[in-house]
Amino acid sequence: MSSVAVLTQESFAEHRSGLAQQQVKVAALNSEEENDPPTYKDAFPPLPEKAACLEPAQEPAGAWSKIRPIKASVITQVFHVPLEERKYKDMNQFGEGEQAKICLDIMQKTGAHLELSLAKDQGLSIMVSGKLEAVMKARKEIVARLQTQASATVAIPKEHHRFVIGKNGEKLQDLELKTATKIQIPRPDDPSNQIKITGTKEGIEKARHEILLISAEQDKRAVERLDVDKVYHPFIAGPFNKLVSEIMQETGTRINIPPPSVNKTEIVFTGEKEQLAQAVARIKKIYEEKKKKTTTIAVEVKKSQHKYVIGPKGNSLQEILEKTGVSVEIPPTDSSSETVILRGEPEKLGQALTEVYAKANSFTVSSVSAPSWLHRFIIGKKGQNLAKITQQMPKVHIEFTEGEDKITLEGPTEDVNVAQEQIEVMVKDLINRMDYVEINVDHKFHRHLIGKNGANINRIKDQYKVSVRIPPDNEKSNLIRIEGDPQGVHQAKKELLELASRMENERTKDLIIEQRFHRTIIGQKGERIREIRDKFPEVIINFPDPAHKSDIVQLRGPKNEVEKCTKYMQKMVADLVENSFSISVPIFKQFHKNIIGKGGANIKKIREESNTKIDLPAENSNSETIIITGKRANCEAARHRILSIQKELADITEVEVSIPSKLHNSLIGAKGRFIRSIMEECGGVHIHFPTEGSGSDTVTIRGPAQDVEKAKKQLLHLAEEKQTKSYTVDLRAKPEYHKFLIGKGGGNIRKVRDNTGARIIFPTSEDKDQELITIMGTEGAVKEAQKELEALIKNLDNVVEDFMVVDPKHHRHFVIRRGQVLREIADEYGGVMVSFPRSGTQSDKVTLKGAKDCVEAAKKRILEIIEDLEAQVTIECTIPQKFHRSIMGPKGSRIQQITRDYGVQIKFPDREENPAPATEPAMQENGEESGEGKEAKETDPTSPKKCDIIIISGRREKCEAAKEALQVNIQVPAPELRSDVISITGLAANLDRAKAGLLERVKELQAEQEDRALRSFKLTVTVDPKYHPKIIGRKGAVITQIRTEHEVNIQFPDKDDENQSQDQITITGYEKNTEAARDAIMKIVGELEQMVSEDVMLDHRVHARIIGARGKAIRKIMDEFKVDIRFPQSGASDPNCVTVTGLPDNVEEAIDHILNLEEEYLADVVDNEAMQVYMKPSAHEESKAPSKGFVVRDAPWAAGNNEKAPDMSSSEDFPSFGAQVAPKTLPWGPKR
């Protein structure tokens, strides 16, 4: 073994303290030189002569013999692993392999230095050097990783396990480190008492010994419970708990007496057996003695005076007990009893009784007569007036009772008298200069007196400097109270009565108008309703909130004017009803443009002549229905004209079929599934069923003659099946197979229908179940169709892989736009996967993978696309560059729609940032024309600019159609122009559709604007800032719930904004919602106002124990006692001050509970601190000021007035003892 000594700051301090002891005697003789530094010889005595070394028994001379040894900070320990316990026994690999890797890893992890060597018995010797902590950690790692492990169990009582674990598991960790073992203790819910120890035999024995020692120590401790009548608890505790504290201190036993509020008689003792027995004996003696000697008397004390006898926190009762040795028993607060029982020795009861009456009468209750309407003036704004009195006399409690003409004062007699005088003076002054009056106004007029957002009532208050109190709507009270300066009260009364009389002569009438007409009557930006109001200025017209879905419009004003306005509005509504008749006309999509006519001429003519509104579906919509709105007769005429245009253009016939009305619903099917399938199958004919409940059996079929006849046959056949016997089967197939099963143009499914006679219905995009296919018909037909479809589906499930050749020049068309064309092929042909070769490779081989039929169909489709690409042409469309962005639409949406609809590609030119003026001549250089010499041709000024030309590629007919679609442009004026005009340019045929779409969007925006205005109603609530955190709640939980429940926004004042009123909370939303949210907030404030806060001094060392892990323990206490407990923040002026808030009784009980916990936990803290003394450096070393260095007198370098200190870097002054040895880092030690 070897050891290395290093001079550390701590060991140097010890070294100095060792030297200092030698100077004690000298210092005592000469007190004047007490602070002088030691001499150089004293501090550094010379080494003994050589002769001294020859006598081993002789002590070394000088002060060196008495210097304390320097403590080494680096230690070295050797561990031996016997051969039979070695994990790695391969002798050929010593110094390499797994064993060496583990040693290097241990060195890196712990910072200790390891050296390995083999003993003669082939055991492994490991020398570990480093700091104590690093060596211990390395030892544990060596045992775990280089030594084979054994295990053993030790049984100790379950209740002793926690003492083995220790606080936060520290004891267990320390034990594992010391013994280099792994100790497993069963969980608390596990009934086993066996502790498992894993490690070396030696380590297991050590750990087992330590665990048994801990258990033996705990066996000496005991717990005992003693049942003592509750009435004798005060005698055992003693005044202010002095007696019980004294017993606890003397015996070292913890004694827990339940607080008065807890109805338990059991006293619990905890401690070592002998000391515990002493404590129990002493308390039993007190109990027996008091039982024999004490007697009781009962006296009557007014219930209201009981609290004075108890005193704050029960102090008065403790004072009586201290003075007289008599316990005073007060009945509980929820009891009506006024009997107080005094228990004690007979000769002391009289003195105690005097004390009780003195305490009871030390406080008095008085009242001051003051009209209830003056109470709020006495209190003042935010309690300012009352605060002046309460600050002077904090012990006086002043209570105002609503509706009573008196103020109650309670407190010490002298203070109450002074406060009473001050309040009486205040009341007298207010009565002299204030007045009030009450007027009766029917409550239905109250909201009109208040006005919109309180406009009327606020004006009266400000003008006459009065307070007007109008009862809330839910009270249904007619009484309005006006308070303030007598003259102002009189004038306000006069004005309010005039307003009320004017309202009594008014009439309110409810007009029922369907809500759908409200927006039309109001008009764009309220223009039409403004005209009505200008016509009837004395009538107030109120429309209901759109969200309420109400049809009632309220008119209020003079009787005659209301009647006139009613007639006018009824006539307006009648016209609207007459003009709002609507019919839908299905017209084949291809004829819509003919109905519109060139430049919209046809549709415009029909609209003007029939006086109707005609709405056509958007060009990119799948709808074929044209909606006509207006008077019934006019709508019918317009419908007839539109149908006649369609009839002229195509061979359109109309057939009426009679089908019993009871079958109509089943023929239409769920959400029109069945009838839609017939319409699609028969070339898109229109089938119109009569309205439900009309009783009509007539069904109208319209379309090309051949398709109408086909649809008629199918309808009649289906109706016959429904009447006779209908059979239905559901079949399931992946949605990607549906398009393939249907086939192009419905070819595949038509074949199955023709073969079997069954109807097959596929799900639409709106249906929830996208896999469900329904087969309808006779049982035989359905089963046959099912068999055919199942065979097709089975065939689709057989996946094959095929190849085809596609010229590389066409590859880009299939893969651009993230492979959109390939995705469309996959959707249409049962999810077939098409893989094109990577770009850059010259391969023309394309791979197709999927169901055999789908692959074949996909190949056919790809060949069709290639044929289309071969037949492509490119045309130019000239549109000025400034319109390009609007043509593209937001994020290119409009241009994408056109490319999809017409199957073309559209390329826009590069943008020209600063186009040169057309008139600018070509640049010249040295008198010659720029470009290719003089022969360069001049550009034609009439030819279109390159930046205006849009290139369209595709089949010629499709390119022409796309070009026509591009030539419509909508220009919105810039915001700074403040213009209301939007320009639409393009082909006349497209203008009307564009205009109709724009007007519809304008209507939607106006509706949104109206709703936004209603939603922005603001309401302000005044709440004391101290309640704001409680209203917000933990992590905003309370305020978030109010916001969500009432759909409002609640804004609290900014604490940093000095200009902003800190007590104003702003609520924004619909008016009714804001009022509901305000009521919810005020309810919380009401509850908070009843609460009190008390500070309790708790030793800061037990705060963490009381709070518990993640606040679990403190939350449990807060929930149990229904209080809020706040602990001081770090850096607080008083770290022991804890604030408890809640209802008074709850606060008292919570404080008692916390104080009991403090008492219990403090004993543990004291024990722990006593242990820490041995583990931490002494306090004087920690707090010592920075050292100025070690100073000596009469040093050699000071001779001859040479004050220069020796040069520590000089080899002459400090010669070395030899060459420096390089440290060894190899784990297997030095080479031999």
Side-chain angles (χ1 to χ4, degrees):
M1 286 184 59
S2 65
S3 96
V4 180
V6 176
L7 188 64
T8 63
Q9 195 172 355
E10 294 83 2
S11 57
F12 186 64
E14 289 179 17
H15 169 67
R16 283 189 59 188
S17 65
L19 290 171
Q21 288 172 8
Q22 311 307 314
Q23 311 301 325
V24 172
K25 290 180 184 178
V26 179
L29 294 171
N30 190 355
S31 60
E32 287 180 6
E33 295 178 4
E34 196 174 274
N35 294 323
D36 283 353
T39 65
Y40 181 79
K41 282 186 179 179
D42 290 335
F44 301 102
L47 290 168
E49 293 299 321
K50 216 172 190 184
C53 299
L54 300 172
E55 299 171 13
Q58 191 181 333
E59 284 288 324
W64 288 103
S65 59
K66 295 185 181 178
I67 292 175
R68 289 170 65 187
I70 293 171
K71 190 180 176 184
S73 68
V74 175
I75 66 160
T76 301
Q77 287 190 11
V78 176
F79 306 117
H80 188 70
V81 181
L83 175 64
E84 62 274 11
E85 289 184 17
R86 280 181 59 191
K87 261 192 188 177
Y88 306 97
K89 297 178 184 176
D90 190 352
M91 299 302 129
N92 299 325
Q93 287 193 339
F94 183 70
E96 55 185 88
E98 195 64 34
Q99 193 165 259
K101 284 180 190 173
I102 289 169
C103 287
L104 285 168
D105 185 44
I106 293 170
M107 285 164 68
Q108 285 172 357
K109 277 171 75 175
T110 62
H113 178 72
L114 272 66
E115 287 187 12
L116 273 69
S117 60
L118 273 176
K120 287 179 183 177
D121 62 355
Q122 297 302 314
L124 190 66
S125 290
I126 305 159
M127 186 167 76
V128 186
S129 303
K131 292 195 174 179
L132 178 64
E133 190 182 347
V135 169
M136 296 306 285
K137 283 183 182 174
R139 180 190 171 198
K140 189 180 176 185
E141 289 281 331
I142 289 163
V143 167
R145 298 170 70 177
L146 296 179
Q147 202 165 352
T148 54
Q149 304 287 294
S151 66
T153 57
V154 59
I156 63 167
K158 187 80 176 172
E159 59 269 20
H160 295 174
H161 286 193
R162 64 192 184 95
F163 298 105
V164 176
I165 296 166
K167 189 181 178 182
N168 297 329
E170 287 172 8
K171 183 103 176 179
L172 183 63
Q173 286 171 16
D174 189 41
L175 193 57
E176 286 184 333
L177 204 61
K178 272 166 64 180
T179 61
T181 57
K182 176 71 181 167
I183 301 168
Q184 290 173 289
I185 295 173
R187 295 178 63 82
D189 52 2
D190 187 344
S192 171
N193 64 352
Q194 297 283 341
I195 296 174
K196 188 180 178 183
I197 310 165
T198 309
T200 63
K201 289 177 184 176
E202 185 188 351
I204 289 169
E205 283 305 316
K206 280 184 185 176
R208 191 169 178 279
H209 176 69
E210 289 289 337
I211 290 167
L212 290 171
L213 271 180
I214 293 166
S215 181
E217 195 179 319
Q218 292 307 316
D219 276 334
K220 293 177 187 175
R221 298 181 66 81
V223 176
E224 192 167 328
R225 300 171 193 277
L226 183 64
D227 202 51
V228 176
D229 289 346
K230 190 81 177 170
V231 293
Y232 295 104
H233 284 195
F235 297 112
I236 291 163
F240 300 102
N241 288 327
K242 284 180 184 174
L243 184 56
V244 78
S245 300
E246 191 182 311
I247 296 168
M248 283 164 68
Q249 200 169 353
E250 288 176 12
T251 62
T253 304
R254 193 183 301 160
I255 303 168
N256 187 10
I257 299 173
S261 57
V262 177
N263 192 23
K264 284 184 180 177
T265 58
E266 206 174 58
I267 297 173
V268 182
F269 301 80
T270 313
E272 292 199 5
K273 288 180 181 176
E274 291 176 14
Q275 294 169 327
L276 183 140
Q278 289 175 26
V280 172
R282 285 182 65 175
I283 282 175
K284 275 185 179 176
K285 187 181 175 185
I286 295 166
Y287 175 42
E288 294 300 330
E289 192 180 316
K290 292 296 176 187
K291 271 177 84 173
K292 286 177 187 175
K293 289 185 180 180
T294 57
T295 183
T296 59
I297 60 166
V299 293
E300 295 295 316
V301 177
K302 287 182 184 175
K303 190 77 180 172
S304 60
Q305 293 179 322
H306 284 192
K307 57 184 172 183
Y308 309 132
V309 177
I310 296 165
K313 297 180 184 177
N315 281 350
S316 297
L317 292 178
Q318 295 296 330
E319 284 171 16
I320 295 168
L321 182 61
E322 191 174 34
K323 280 185 187 177
T324 64
V326 174
S327 168
V328 181
E329 295 163 21
I330 306 286
T333 50
D334 54 359
S335 166
S336 58
S337 171
E338 294 189 341
T339 306
V340 175
I341 296 167
L342 282 72
R343 187 181 303 274
E345 294 174 15
E347 63 273 13
K348 292 180 181 176
L349 287 173
Q351 185 189 347
L353 185 58
T354 308
E355 287 286 337
V356 167
Y357 279 126
K359 298 283 183 192
N361 296 319
S362 63
F363 278 66
T364 186
V365 178
S366 180
S367 64
V368 176
S369 293
S372 61
W373 66 275
L374 281 180
H375 287 187
R376 62 196 191 89
F377 297 105
I378 294 165
I379 294 165
K381 192 177 181 183
K382 295 181 186 175
Q384 285 175 349
N385 297 347
L386 208 60
K388 292 173 187 175
I389 300 169
T390 53
Q391 281 167 8
Q392 291 173 14
M393 288 151 285
K395 291 184 180 178
V396 176
H397 174 69
I398 302 168
E399 190 176 337
F400 295 83
T401 310
E402 197 174 342
E404 287 188 17
D405 294 338
K406 69 171 185 177
I407 301 164
T408 307
L409 291 87
E410 187 180 329
T413 310
E414 289 179 12
D415 289 358
V416 166
N417 291 338
V418 175
Q420 186 174 347
E421 283 176 22
Q422 288 185 16
I423 290 172
E424 281 173 351
V425 169
M426 208 185 287
V427 169
K428 193 175 180 183
D429 175 54
L430 286 169
I431 288 171
N432 289 337
R433 62 185 179 83
M434 301 288 278
D435 195 8
Y436 79 93
V437 71
E438 290 178 344
I439 57 172
N440 268 302
V441 176
D442 195 323
H443 69 270
K444 67 184 176 184
F445 300 131
H446 286 186
R447 66 192 186 95
H448 305 300
L449 288 178
I450 293 166
K452 192 174 183 181
N453 295 334
N456 292 349
I457 206 71
N458 288 338
R459 180 184 56 77
I460 292 168
K461 284 178 180 178
D462 294 342
Q463 191 175 339
Y464 302 118
K465 303 284 185 280
V466 293
S467 171
V468 183
R469 301 186 74 185
I470 297 173
D473 288 346
N474 56 0
E475 286 185 16
K476 306 288 183 190
S477 170
N478 297 340
L479 208 65
I480 296 175
R481 187 184 182 93
I482 310 165
E483 299 165 358
D485 177 69
Q487 190 179 351
V489 167
H490 177 71
Q491 288 173 330
K493 176 188 173 184
K494 187 180 174 185
E495 185 164 340
L496 281 171
L497 288 171
E498 280 177 10
L499 278 169
S501 67
R502 201 183 308 152
M503 285 171 194
E504 281 174 0
N505 295 327
E506 288 180 349
R507 183 180 174 194
T508 300
K509 187 166 185 178
D510 288 342
L511 201 60
I512 295 173
I513 300 172
E514 283 183 66
Q515 196 181 32
R516 63 193 174 109
F517 298 129
H518 290 187
R519 192 179 290 178
T520 314
I521 294 167
I522 293 166
Q524 193 173 8
K525 296 182 182 176
E527 286 173 4
R528 292 187 73 177
I529 197 68
R530 209 176 294 124
E531 286 174 18
I532 299 168
R533 282 175 176 152
D534 291 344
K535 203 166 189 175
F536 305 99
E538 293 180 61
V539 179
I540 296 167
I541 305 166
N542 287 328
F543 283 85
D545 187 328
H548 293 162
K549 307 286 183 191
S550 172
D551 294 340
I552 297 170
V553 177
Q554 197 178 70
L555 309 179
R556 185 168 52 80
K559 189 177 178 181
N560 294 338
E561 289 296 305
V562 167
E563 286 300 327
K564 287 178 188 175
C565 185
T566 302
K567 285 178 183 173
Y568 181 83
M569 287 187 77
Q570 281 174 339
K571 185 176 181 299
M572 184 188 281
V573 171
D575 290 345
L576 284 172
V577 170
E578 192 179 352
N579 290 323
S580 67
F581 178 77
S582 177
I583 55 172
S584 300
V585 188
I587 297 292
F588 291 98
K589 193 80 177 177
Q590 63 263 37
F591 302 128
H592 283 201
K593 60 183 178 183
N594 305 97
I595 288 161
I596 293 164
K598 192 173 182 179
N602 289 356
I603 200 76
K604 194 174 182 183
K605 191 177 179 185
I606 296 168
R607 280 172 180 154
E608 285 172 359
E609 289 179 6
S610 63
N611 193 22
T612 56
K613 181 187 173 190
I614 302 170
D615 293 319
L616 284 92
E619 202 170 330
N620 56 1
S621 163
N622 293 324
S623 173
E624 295 185 335
T625 307
I626 296 173
I627 296 164
I628 309 169
T629 311
K631 291 183 179 178
R632 191 185 188 101
N634 295 351
C635 289
E636 291 293 346
R639 177 174 175 268
H640 178 71
R641 288 188 64 172
I642 288 169
L643 288 171
S644 64
I645 291 171
Q646 182 179 245
K647 217 168 189 179
E648 285 169 17
L649 291 165
D651 180 21
I652 301 296
T653 59
E654 190 174 293
V655 172
E656 289 183 350
V657 183
S658 182
I659 296 172
S661 58
K662 64 182 180 181
L663 297 177
H664 289 186
N665 281 346
S666 60
L667 288 174
I668 293 166
K671 295 182 181 177
R673 272 184 82 192
F674 297 160
I675 203 68
R676 203 183 303 121
S677 69
I678 294 173
M679 285 159 69
E680 286 171 7
E681 192 183 334
C682 300
V685 296
H686 296 137
I687 301 172
H688 179 70
F689 283 82
T691 53
E692 199 173 350
S694 64
S696 172
D697 293 343
T698 305
V699 177
T700 310
I701 309 169
R702 189 183 305 111
Q706 195 177 348
D707 292 336
V708 166
E709 195 57 38
K710 189 178 176 184
K712 179 182 173 183
K713 281 180 182 177
Q714 286 210 21
L715 260 182
L716 290 171
H717 179 64
L718 199 60
E720 192 181 329
E721 279 182 3
K722 288 276 180 191
Q723 277 181 312
T724 55
K725 189 180 180 184
S726 180
Y727 186 74
T728 307
V729 163
D730 288 338
L731 201 63
R732 306 191 79 80
K734 291 178 185 176
E736 56 263 31
Y737 293 166
H738 290 189
K739 282 187 180 177
F740 186 76
L741 290 171
I742 293 164
K744 196 168 184 179
N748 294 352
I749 209 69
R750 198 180 299 117
K751 191 177 174 185
V752 175
R753 283 173 181 162
D754 293 345
N755 290 346
T756 62
R759 170 159 298 284
I760 301 159
I761 299 157
F762 285 83
T764 61
S765 56
E766 289 85 24
D767 291 333
K768 283 185 180 177
D769 192 344
Q770 288 293 304
E771 291 190 354
L772 191 71
I773 302 169
T774 306
I775 310 171
M776 291 178 63
T778 61
E779 189 174 350
V782 167
K783 285 188 175 177
E784 199 177 333
Q786 182 184 2
K787 192 177 176 183
E788 281 195 34
L789 279 175
E790 280 175 346
L792 277 171
I793 294 164
K794 190 177 180 182
N795 199 21
L796 289 172
D797 285 332
N798 295 329
V799 177
V800 296
E801 191 172 311
D802 201 356
F803 304 96
M804 67 182 294
V805 175
V806 176
D807 194 321
K809 69 179 181 181
H810 298 312
H811 287 192
R812 188 172 177 275
H813 174 79
F814 290 95
V815 296
I816 57 169
R817 296 193 300 278
R818 296 180 185 174
Q820 188 178 337
V821 175
L822 295 180
R823 282 203 303 276
E824 286 170 4
I825 291 170
D827 288 346
E828 194 171 343
Y829 300 103
V832 68
M833 285 172 63
V834 184
S835 301
F836 276 76
R838 290 192 178 188
S839 59
T841 59
Q842 291 305 308
S843 173
D844 57 1
K845 189 178 176 185
V846 175
T847 309
L848 295 93
K849 193 175 181 181
K852 190 177 178 181
D853 294 346
C854 293
V855 167
E856 289 303 321
K859 278 170 78 174
K860 193 177 176 185
R861 175 68 186 135
I862 290 169
L863 291 170
E864 284 174 8
I865 293 168
I866 292 166
E867 192 186 334
D868 272 355
L869 291 171
E870 298 285 355
Q872 268 193 1
V873 297
T874 300
I875 66 166
E876 292 180 352
C877 174
T878 305
I879 295 173
Q881 184 184 0
K882 62 181 178 179
F883 299 127
H884 288 189
R885 187 172 288 174
S886 57
I887 290 167
M888 288 179 185
K891 296 180 182 176
S893 58
R894 188 164 177 268
I895 211 71
Q896 286 168 14
Q897 185 66 41
I898 293 170
T899 56
R900 275 198 300 272
D901 291 350
Y902 298 101
V904 294
Q905 289 183 1
I906 300 171
K907 187 176 186 299
F908 281 79
D910 292 333
R911 194 168 175 78
E912 192 176 287
E913 295 298 331
N914 296 306
T919 56
E920 192 179 320
M923 291 282 289
Q924 290 188 354
E925 204 174 313
N926 298 331
E928 290 186 4
E929 289 181 18
S930 62
E932 301 272 335
K934 293 179 182 178
E935 291 177 7
K937 291 179 181 178
E938 291 181 8
T939 54
D940 184 2
T942 59
S943 66
K945 292 181 185 176
K946 193 177 179 182
C947 63
D948 295 341
I949 298 168
I950 299 168
I951 297 166
I952 309 169
S953 305
R955 284 187 175 265
R956 179 167 292 280
E957 63 275 11
K958 289 183 178 179
C959 288
E960 291 295 339
K963 182 179 177 180
E964 190 180 328
L966 279 174
Q967 290 171 335
V968 171
N969 179 50
I970 299 172
Q971 199 169 358
V972 181
E976 58 268 16
L977 297 177
R978 297 183 176 277
S979 171
D980 292 344
V981 179
I982 293 174
S983 303
I984 309 171
T985 55
L987 295 174
N990 299 325
L991 291 183
D992 280 335
R993 288 204 303 280
K995 187 179 175 183
L998 271 177
L999 290 173
E1000 191 61 37
R1001 179 64 183 144
V1002 168
K1003 283 183 184 177
E1004 288 172 16
L1005 290 169
Q1006 283 172 349
E1008 286 174 18
Q1009 191 178 7
E1010 287 169 19
D1011 186 56
R1012 244 191 329 268
L1014 289 168
R1015 225 172 35 237
S1016 59
F1017 177 79
K1018 281 192 178 180
L1019 186 68
T1020 307
V1021 187
T1022 303
V1023 176
D1024 195 317
K1026 69 181 179 182
Y1027 298 135
H1028 290 189
K1030 289 289 180 187
I1031 295 167
I1032 293 166
R1034 191 162 180 262
K1035 293 183 181 176
V1038 177
I1039 204 68
T1040 303
Q1041 189 180 347
I1042 295 171
R1043 281 175 179 147
T1044 310
E1045 196 175 320
H1046 301 288
E1047 295 178 347
V1048 293
N1049 180 32
I1050 302 171
Q1051 196 70 37
F1052 284 82
D1054 185 355
K1055 289 180 183 177
D1056 301 328
D1057 191 351
E1058 293 177 2
N1059 302 324
Q1060 194 177 359
S1061 179
Q1062 291 297 307
D1063 60 354
Q1064 299 291 317
I1065 298 174
T1066 308
I1067 309 169
T1068 312
Y1070 291 116
E1071 188 172 354
K1072 285 196 174 178
N1073 293 4
T1074 57
E1075 287 170 359
R1078 176 197 62 196
D1079 293 344
I1081 289 170
M1082 294 315 291
K1083 185 182 176 185
I1084 294 168
V1085 172
E1087 289 170 2
L1088 291 170
E1089 283 175 342
Q1090 294 176 12
M1091 293 185 176
V1092 297
S1093 287
E1094 281 199 34
D1095 291 341
V1096 58
M1097 304 310 287
L1098 284 183
D1099 194 304
H1100 65 274
R1101 292 173 295 175
V1102 301
H1103 287 191
R1105 291 281 296 273
I1106 291 170
I1107 292 166
R1110 296 182 183 176
K1112 194 174 179 183
I1114 200 67
R1115 276 200 297 276
K1116 189 179 177 185
I1117 294 169
M1118 291 196 287
D1119 292 344
E1120 187 180 341
F1121 293 97
K1122 294 181 177 61
V1123 292
D1124 181 55
I1125 301 171
R1126 295 279 168 202
F1127 285 82
Q1129 291 183 342
S1130 58
S1133 56
D1134 187 351
N1136 298 329
C1137 185
V1138 176
T1139 306
V1140 185
T1141 307
L1143 295 172
D1145 291 348
N1146 294 352
V1147 168
E1148 289 296 330
E1149 288 188 13
I1151 288 172
D1152 286 343
H1153 180 73
I1154 293 169
L1155 288 170
N1156 285 335
L1157 287 176
E1158 180 200 26
E1159 192 180 320
E1160 190 177 327
Y1161 295 152
L1162 206 52
D1164 287 346
V1165 170
V1166 171
D1167 291 347
N1168 287 342
E1169 284 180 353
M1171 290 298 293
Q1172 291 296 323
V1173 170
Y1174 300 103
M1175 298 170 75
K1176 285 189 177 178
S1178 58
H1180 77 273
E1181 283 182 19
E1182 285 182 356
S1183 61
K1184 193 161 73 175
S1187 172
K1188 293 178 181 178
F1190 183 54
V1191 182
V1192 295
R1193 290 182 292 115
D1194 305 332
W1197 56 81
N1201 295 324
N1202 181 11
E1203 295 298 325
K1204 188 181 173 189
D1207 183 5
M1208 293 174 71
S1209 62
S1210 166
S1211 59
E1212 192 178 331
D1213 290 348
F1214 292 92
S1216 63
F1217 285 105
Q1220 189 176 0
V1221 180
K1224 302 177 185 68
T1225 56
L1226 298 174
W1228 45 84
K1231 292 179 183 177
R1232 288 183 172 82

